[in-house]
Amino acid sequence: MPTMPAETALAELGLDPFEVALLPQLRHFTTCLREPQSQAWQHACCSAAERWGESFGLGVAHALFKVVRCLHDLRGELYQGHDALTLSTRASVTADEAACLRMLHHMRRDNTPAARDAVADLTGGWMDPHVIRAALSFAHRFPAGKTDPAPRSQPATESARPRLRIVR
């Protein structure tokens, strides 16, 4: 009989709102790699696009999938995670989910010692270059403090709206 993984409250991890919002995508991608017929990747991409807009959100999902894929290649079924569609687990994380989110949290802030510890927790002590490279790539693309898409400015007045003009 499999044992339940250690649980931690998501709020206790000290993550920023962007990192907290990564959890559903992390879970959906984990599900799609374990059960390809589930098509859970569609849920991950759709929820990322809904949360952050298509261009930014799909970029987040794509970069995060690379991390999850490398992690799955290394750990496979040993990685413990919850189903993203289970309401009762939305506020808690497994030890593996916590380590993954902490790894991204510290890498996004260029905190190497703490990131190294999180990688060790996540990979069972193995400093897997593929996991590290994918996570660093994610962190470089979405560093802390620069993770929101550029705000879409709304025209203040009627005359500030874009107009078609004939240029001669």
Side-chain angles (χ1 to χ4, degrees):
M1 172 183 228
T3 60
M4 284 301 292
E7 298 285 321
T8 303
L10 181 59
E12 291 178 14
L13 296 179
L15 305 173
D16 67 28
F18 175 76
E19 294 157 348
V20 169
L22 294 174
L23 182 60
Q25 284 75 36
L26 173 69
R27 289 176 172 176
H28 284 305
F29 284 136
T30 300
T31 299
C32 88
L33 290 170
R34 284 188 176 157
E35 304 166 26
Q37 72 281 4
S38 73
Q39 304 273 325
W41 63 271
Q42 292 178 14
H43 291 296
C45 292
C46 288
S47 66
E50 288 172 5
R51 177 173 292 277
W52 295 295
E54 278 191 23
S55 61
F56 187 83
L58 293 177
V60 170
H62 180 70
L64 183 62
F65 179 74
K66 290 179 181 180
V67 176
V68 176
R69 179 68 205 203
C70 290
L71 184 58
H72 180 76
D73 289 347
L74 178 68
R75 302 263 325 267
E77 296 297 322
L78 296 177
Y79 177 89
Q80 295 292 315
H82 291 303
D83 184 334
L85 300 177
T86 304
L87 295 175
S88 62
T89 59
R90 290 205 174 158
S92 63
V93 291
T94 66
D96 289 334
E97 291 170 336
C100 186
L101 292 171
R102 279 194 336 269
M103 174 184 70
L104 294 173
H105 172 84
H106 294 304
M107 286 183 175
R108 292 179 65 231
R109 288 158 181 78
D110 202 22
N111 183 346
T112 303
R116 191 176 298 123
D117 291 343
V119 170
D121 289 344
L122 185 59
T123 62
W126 176 255
M127 292 291 136
D128 183 73
H130 303 291
V131 171
I132 293 169
R133 189 176 304 117
L136 284 173
S137 176
F138 181 93
H140 177 50
R141 185 166 177 192
F142 305 106
K146 298 182 183 185
T147 54
D148 293 326
R152 297 179 184 142
S153 59
Q154 296 296 325
T157 64
E158 184 71 26
S159 63
R161 284 182 156 170
R163 296 179 287 175
L164 291 176
R165 299 184 313 185
I166 296 175
V167 179
R168 296 178 194 204

